[in-house]
Amino acid sequence: MPRSGPKKLFSPRACGIGGALLAGGLLAGLVVAGGGAADGAGRAPAAADGLPHTSVEVSSGGCGRGWRHARPGTQVFDLHNTSDVAAEVYLKSPRTGALYGEVEGVGPGTTRQLRVRLGGGTYAFMCLPDDADAVTGPTVRIRGGGTPGPAAAPVTEHDLIPPALDYQKWVGRGLDELVGRTGQLRDAVARGPRVSRCRTAR
């Protein structure tokens, strides 16, 4: 195997890579200075819809990865599934479990968008791959920023017990009424021929 030497290091390919790295470094310097697509606070660039977009990974090993610079207000998360199975994605409050957004059926290798309005508080993405346990990503904190959008309260099995009991009682009352009406109908059918004879006699 030939050894690397100065000629190898200064090949056109190496120079091209070095030039690209140099250009990338200069661009990063301009962005930090405030002259690029993002500002010094790390806000995501605005897309054609006028809203800031943030790319977020969807997978069992990297759920929520990519959301580093949290900001308040209306924004869009581009959820990219890097795994080989479909997944559901939820944006929730780690403290209360309230859900601020969800996207179902994010296929392998695809990207789906989630538009939300966020305010001050803590948030985290939860990924639920098919035939696997849910995985919660890192917690992200937003300081200040007003009121977030509407959230759905979490529901547990204990929360479902009272309405389930009420439903059973309602069904029971309905069955009792149905049995009574069925008896009335049976009696009416049984009396039917006699009523017909009486009408014929008249």
Side-chain angles (χ1 to χ4, degrees), residues 15-76:
C15 291
I17 296 176
L21 293 175
L22 178 60
L26 292 175
L27 178 60
L30 291 175
V31 169
V32 172
D39 59 21
R43 292 183 177 180
D49 55 12
L51 298 174
H53 283 236
T54 303
S55 296
V56 175
E57 180 179 341
V58 177
S59 68
S60 296
C63 181
R65 184 181 299 166
W67 189 20
R68 294 181 298 272
H69 305 295
R71 64 181 300 278
T74 302
Q75 54 198 287
V76 177

Side-chain angles (χ1 to χ4, degrees), residues 11 18 24 42 55 72 75 77 83 98 106 128 130 132 137 139 141 158 164-165 178 181 190:
S11 65
S55 296
Q75 54 198 287
F77 292 101
S83 68
V106 184
L128 182 57
D130 287 350
T139 298
R141 178 179 296 277
H158 294 289
L165 293 176
L178 177 61
R181 289 179 176 271

Side-chain angles (χ1 to χ4, degrees), residues 91-93 96-101 117 123 148-154:
L91 180 60
K92 68 174 187 176
S93 166
T96 65
L99 299 179
Y100 291 92
R117 185 177 79 245
Y123 303 89

Side-chain angles (χ1 to χ4, degrees), residues 3 17 29 34 36 64 72-73 85-86 110 118-119 129 144-145 149 168 173 179 183 189 195:
R3 300 172 60 185
I17 296 176
V85 296
T110 64
L118 302 180
Q168 290 178 358
R173 292 192 299 268
V179 170
V189 171
V195 173

